[in-house]
Amino acid sequence: MGILITVCVLVGFMAFTEADLCHKCICDNEHLDCSFIALEDHFNDSDWAGSTHTIISFDHNNIIHLKAFPKLPVTKLSITHNMIVKIDPACFKELENLTELDLGHNHLTSEQLVPAVFQGHYAPETYEPLRNLRVLKLSANALHTLDADLFEHMPQLEHLSLDSNPLRIIDRQTMVALTSISFLKELDLSSTSLKEFPPHLLHTPRFLEVLNLSSNLFTSPPESLEDSHFLKQLHIDENPIVNISKFPNLPYLEVLSMSWMPDLVEIGPEAMNDLVSLQEFYCSHNPKLEKINATAFSKSAVSSPGGQTWPPIKKITLNNNNLGFLDFELLGHWDRLDTVDIQNNPWVCECHNQWLVSTLVPMMEKLNSTQHMVAGIVCHWPEQMRGQSVAELDHRSYHMRCLDAYDHHPEKDGTLLIGILIGVILAVPLTALVFISYRRHLRTTAAQYHRAFYKRGDSLHEFVANPNP
């Protein structure tokens, strides 16, 4: 009986604390949301008694000092957009089920973020690990370097976000820290003001599949990317790259994103032809991109034993660039694409783009994923065709004319012919008037000649008749 009473009291206490916690925060099944309530700490240990929540959020509060958590079943913990400057050693030690930790958008410095923060329980095979932690997000803090041993307590870490930190360079100790993550699969280094990517950085993390280098200061795709083993996704958007003449050899790359580049002008011949596994290519919102060479993706018959080859691209986005022409030879299998987006470009509607009207747009109209994009494919030049829908040209079975070698424009032919016609009409009466005037002038001259001749003749007769007057 005494045991039963004790159990009832304990259950009642747990229910009470659970209800009290939910009174302060929002409880939704497994999720405890304590965001936007101006908290300065994450409660006392006693407040957590009886908590069964596995997803806990303390986002957008005023927490400065993060103290050690009690034993909780939490798997995902988010404490973003606070003012954290200090984290106690072994802060997450009792969160043995923790798989994802987000400490982004705080004020953590390189000096405060030390390995002891992530210390876990002792294990004979690994030094005090947080054995289940797979995802660590440190975005938008004040980190300019990393402690070389920062990740020593995270043997299973797979995803690391360091974006929006003022790294500027990857120094030696940062490189040691990153290369120590044996099972790393995703690395986000976007918005870290990087200009260079050190060689051999990607040699050790043999399982890296996703790399984000967007919003940095690269002027060309880093050659050291070739050190990666099985990189499948690369994001290199918003970098000041002007021309791409040769992309690094990444034979396993499946997804490449290089959009929102303010200075990109051209993708050159065979620039991307070593991306033999590429399936998705995102290249949009590049306001100066006006040329993609016809051979940008293909391997020539000379270099490819089986003849000319292309990567197995299924999705390509080229919208919102400055493209006037698109070569049919850019890809060898337009009919097998799942998605293609070329809207909002200043297309030149002449014979070299006839295939857009006859082939590409009809294909896009048949795909559910691209039907809505057809309306944005509009002629920009020549002037006479500006604003006309390419889809409408297809419906009319329109065949576009060619601009000639002297850059004469067909749209001006009508004006020219009208001008010539008006010139001919005006020239006929003018020519007639000139001819009539000329005839009159000839008659007048002839009459004067005859009169002068007769006068000379009369004088001669008089001279013969009377030689001595």
Side-chain angles (χ1 to χ4, degrees), residues 68-88:
F69 283 85
K71 191 175 183 64
L72 295 170
V74 59
T75 58
K76 294 183 180 181
L77 176 61
S78 179
I79 317 175
T80 69
H81 295 89
N82 279 267
M83 298 180 288
I84 300 172
V85 296
K86 182 179 180 181
I87 304 176
D88 283 351

mmCIF file of all heavy atoms in Angstrom, residues 68-88:
data_model
loop_
_atom_site.group_PDB
_atom_site.id
_atom_site.type_symbol
_atom_site.label_atom_id
_atom_site.label_comp_id
_atom_site.label_asym_id
_atom_site.label_seq_id
_atom_site.Cartn_x
_atom_site.Cartn_y
_atom_site.Cartn_z
ATOM 1 N N ALA A 68 24.299 23.520 -17.879
ATOM 2 C CA ALA A 68 24.117 22.100 -18.174
ATOM 3 C C ALA A 68 22.661 21.680 -18.046
ATOM 4 O O ALA A 68 21.962 22.077 -17.096
ATOM 5 C CB ALA A 68 24.990 21.262 -17.255
ATOM 6 N N PHE A 69 22.181 20.885 -19.012
ATOM 7 C CA PHE A 69 20.815 20.371 -19.003
ATOM 8 C C PHE A 69 20.738 19.119 -18.121
ATOM 9 O O PHE A 69 21.701 18.351 -18.029
ATOM 10 C CB PHE A 69 20.369 20.017 -20.418
ATOM 11 C CG PHE A 69 19.992 21.192 -21.264
ATOM 12 C CD1 PHE A 69 20.973 21.898 -21.955
ATOM 13 C CD2 PHE A 69 18.678 21.600 -21.379
ATOM 14 C CE1 PHE A 69 20.633 22.989 -22.752
ATOM 15 C CE2 PHE A 69 18.321 22.679 -22.164
ATOM 16 C CZ PHE A 69 19.303 23.376 -22.849
ATOM 17 N N PRO A 70 19.576 18.881 -17.487
ATOM 18 C CA PRO A 70 19.373 17.619 -16.772
ATOM 19 C C PRO A 70 19.124 16.489 -17.762
ATOM 20 O O PRO A 70 19.063 16.710 -18.975
ATOM 21 C CB PRO A 70 18.132 17.906 -15.924
ATOM 22 C CG PRO A 70 17.359 18.890 -16.736
ATOM 23 C CD PRO A 70 18.403 19.765 -17.402
ATOM 24 N N LYS A 71 18.952 15.312 -17.263
ATOM 25 C CA LYS A 71 18.704 14.157 -18.112
ATOM 26 C C LYS A 71 17.327 14.289 -18.767
ATOM 27 O O LYS A 71 16.309 14.381 -18.081
ATOM 28 C CB LYS A 71 18.784 12.871 -17.291
ATOM 29 C CG LYS A 71 18.791 11.592 -18.129
ATOM 30 C CD LYS A 71 18.995 10.389 -17.245
ATOM 31 C CE LYS A 71 19.084 9.101 -18.069
ATOM 32 N NZ LYS A 71 20.266 9.095 -18.968
ATOM 33 N N LEU A 72 17.307 14.307 -20.090
ATOM 34 C CA LEU A 72 16.066 14.470 -20.853
ATOM 35 C C LEU A 72 16.091 13.541 -22.062
ATOM 36 O O LEU A 72 17.166 13.228 -22.585
ATOM 37 C CB LEU A 72 15.907 15.924 -21.331
ATOM 38 C CG LEU A 72 15.740 17.015 -20.273
ATOM 39 C CD1 LEU A 72 15.834 18.394 -20.915
ATOM 40 C CD2 LEU A 72 14.404 16.860 -19.546
ATOM 41 N N PRO A 73 14.923 13.146 -22.571
ATOM 42 C CA PRO A 73 14.877 12.275 -23.747
ATOM 43 C C PRO A 73 14.954 13.032 -25.072
ATOM 44 O O PRO A 73 14.710 12.459 -26.136
ATOM 45 C CB PRO A 73 13.516 11.581 -23.600
ATOM 46 C CG PRO A 73 12.664 12.596 -22.923
ATOM 47 C CD PRO A 73 13.578 13.330 -21.970
ATOM 48 N N VAL A 74 15.297 14.307 -25.042
ATOM 49 C CA VAL A 74 15.286 15.161 -26.226
ATOM 50 C C VAL A 74 16.227 14.624 -27.312
ATOM 51 O O VAL A 74 17.340 14.177 -27.026
ATOM 52 C CB VAL A 74 15.657 16.615 -25.859
ATOM 53 C CG1 VAL A 74 17.033 16.688 -25.225
ATOM 54 C CG2 VAL A 74 15.576 17.521 -27.075
ATOM 55 N N THR A 75 15.757 14.684 -28.556
ATOM 56 C CA THR A 75 16.578 14.308 -29.712
ATOM 57 C C THR A 75 16.976 15.525 -30.547
ATOM 58 O O THR A 75 18.032 15.523 -31.178
ATOM 59 C CB THR A 75 15.836 13.310 -30.616
ATOM 60 O OG1 THR A 75 14.602 13.898 -31.050
ATOM 61 C CG2 THR A 75 15.553 12.008 -29.857
ATOM 62 N N LYS A 76 16.118 16.569 -30.550
ATOM 63 C CA LYS A 76 16.414 17.793 -31.291
ATOM 64 C C LYS A 76 16.268 18.987 -30.361
ATOM 65 O O LYS A 76 15.202 19.195 -29.771
ATOM 66 C CB LYS A 76 15.473 17.944 -32.499
ATOM 67 C CG LYS A 76 15.672 16.874 -33.561
ATOM 68 C CD LYS A 76 14.771 17.123 -34.758
ATOM 69 C CE LYS A 76 14.973 16.048 -35.827
ATOM 70 N NZ LYS A 76 14.109 16.288 -37.014
ATOM 71 N N LEU A 77 17.341 19.779 -30.264
ATOM 72 C CA LEU A 77 17.355 20.943 -29.374
ATOM 73 C C LEU A 77 17.783 22.169 -30.173
ATOM 74 O O LEU A 77 18.848 22.178 -30.794
ATOM 75 C CB LEU A 77 18.319 20.708 -28.212
ATOM 76 C CG LEU A 77 18.517 21.871 -27.232
ATOM 77 C CD1 LEU A 77 17.198 22.239 -26.551
ATOM 78 C CD2 LEU A 77 19.585 21.522 -26.195
ATOM 79 N N SER A 78 16.943 23.198 -30.155
ATOM 80 C CA SER A 78 17.229 24.423 -30.899
ATOM 81 C C SER A 78 17.217 25.613 -29.948
ATOM 82 O O SER A 78 16.210 25.863 -29.258
ATOM 83 C CB SER A 78 16.185 24.630 -32.007
ATOM 84 O OG SER A 78 16.436 25.815 -32.720
ATOM 85 N N ILE A 79 18.346 26.351 -29.926
ATOM 86 C CA ILE A 79 18.453 27.555 -29.080
ATOM 87 C C ILE A 79 19.044 28.657 -29.961
ATOM 88 O O ILE A 79 20.165 29.139 -29.752
ATOM 89 C CB ILE A 79 19.334 27.303 -27.841
ATOM 90 C CG1 ILE A 79 19.017 25.952 -27.203
ATOM 91 C CG2 ILE A 79 19.115 28.395 -26.783
ATOM 92 C CD1 ILE A 79 19.918 25.570 -26.061
ATOM 93 N N THR A 80 18.325 29.050 -30.983
ATOM 94 C CA THR A 80 18.808 30.039 -31.947
ATOM 95 C C THR A 80 18.272 31.431 -31.620
ATOM 96 O O THR A 80 17.306 31.593 -30.884
ATOM 97 C CB THR A 80 18.378 29.665 -33.373
ATOM 98 O OG1 THR A 80 16.956 29.825 -33.501
ATOM 99 C CG2 THR A 80 18.739 28.222 -33.689
ATOM 100 N N HIS A 81 18.925 32.448 -32.200
ATOM 101 C CA HIS A 81 18.503 33.850 -32.044
ATOM 102 C C HIS A 81 18.364 34.231 -30.573
ATOM 103 O O HIS A 81 17.371 34.819 -30.153
ATOM 104 C CB HIS A 81 17.192 34.101 -32.795
ATOM 105 C CG HIS A 81 17.309 33.964 -34.273
ATOM 106 N ND1 HIS A 81 17.134 32.771 -34.919
ATOM 107 C CD2 HIS A 81 17.597 34.879 -35.240
ATOM 108 C CE1 HIS A 81 17.297 32.931 -36.218
ATOM 109 N NE2 HIS A 81 17.590 34.199 -36.450
ATOM 110 N N ASN A 82 19.386 33.874 -29.795
ATOM 111 C CA ASN A 82 19.506 34.342 -28.424
ATOM 112 C C ASN A 82 20.756 35.217 -28.346
ATOM 113 O O ASN A 82 21.231 35.719 -29.372
ATOM 114 C CB ASN A 82 19.588 33.156 -27.458
ATOM 115 C CG ASN A 82 18.208 32.574 -27.152
ATOM 116 O OD1 ASN A 82 17.557 32.936 -26.184
ATOM 117 N ND2 ASN A 82 17.756 31.647 -28.001
ATOM 118 N N MET A 83 21.318 35.360 -27.153
ATOM 119 C CA MET A 83 22.520 36.182 -26.978
ATOM 120 C C MET A 83 23.606 35.389 -26.264
ATOM 121 O O MET A 83 24.367 35.926 -25.461
ATOM 122 C CB MET A 83 22.174 37.456 -26.207
ATOM 123 C CG MET A 83 21.169 38.345 -26.927
ATOM 124 S SD MET A 83 20.759 39.855 -26.028
ATOM 125 C CE MET A 83 19.776 39.180 -24.702
ATOM 126 N N ILE A 84 23.690 34.112 -26.568
ATOM 127 C CA ILE A 84 24.599 33.224 -25.858
ATOM 128 C C ILE A 84 26.057 33.596 -26.123
ATOM 129 O O ILE A 84 26.488 33.675 -27.277
ATOM 130 C CB ILE A 84 24.357 31.758 -26.271
ATOM 131 C CG1 ILE A 84 22.916 31.338 -25.941
ATOM 132 C CG2 ILE A 84 25.343 30.830 -25.559
ATOM 133 C CD1 ILE A 84 22.534 29.984 -26.483
ATOM 134 N N VAL A 85 26.785 33.826 -25.052
ATOM 135 C CA VAL A 85 28.218 34.098 -25.150
ATOM 136 C C VAL A 85 29.026 33.045 -24.389
ATOM 137 O O VAL A 85 30.244 32.934 -24.575
ATOM 138 C CB VAL A 85 28.575 35.499 -24.617
ATOM 139 C CG1 VAL A 85 27.935 36.575 -25.476
ATOM 140 C CG2 VAL A 85 28.152 35.654 -23.167
ATOM 141 N N LYS A 86 28.340 32.272 -23.524
ATOM 142 C CA LYS A 86 29.049 31.291 -22.709
ATOM 143 C C LYS A 86 28.236 30.004 -22.598
ATOM 144 O O LYS A 86 27.025 30.047 -22.418
ATOM 145 C CB LYS A 86 29.322 31.846 -21.308
ATOM 146 C CG LYS A 86 30.113 30.900 -20.414
ATOM 147 C CD LYS A 86 30.379 31.505 -19.045
ATOM 148 C CE LYS A 86 31.171 30.536 -18.170
ATOM 149 N NZ LYS A 86 31.420 31.086 -16.814
ATOM 150 N N ILE A 87 28.925 28.875 -22.704
ATOM 151 C CA ILE A 87 28.304 27.560 -22.532
ATOM 152 C C ILE A 87 29.149 26.782 -21.528
ATOM 153 O O ILE A 87 30.367 26.663 -21.690
ATOM 154 C CB ILE A 87 28.211 26.793 -23.862
ATOM 155 C CG1 ILE A 87 27.457 27.612 -24.918
ATOM 156 C CG2 ILE A 87 27.519 25.458 -23.654
ATOM 157 C CD1 ILE A 87 27.399 26.954 -26.286
ATOM 158 N N ASP A 88 28.512 26.248 -20.518
ATOM 159 C CA ASP A 88 29.239 25.492 -19.496
ATOM 160 C C ASP A 88 29.819 24.204 -20.068
ATOM 161 O O ASP A 88 29.257 23.613 -20.999
ATOM 162 C CB ASP A 88 28.312 25.150 -18.330
ATOM 163 C CG ASP A 88 28.067 26.338 -17.410
ATOM 164 O OD1 ASP A 88 28.750 27.365 -17.586
ATOM 165 O OD2 ASP A 88 27.187 26.242 -16.530
#
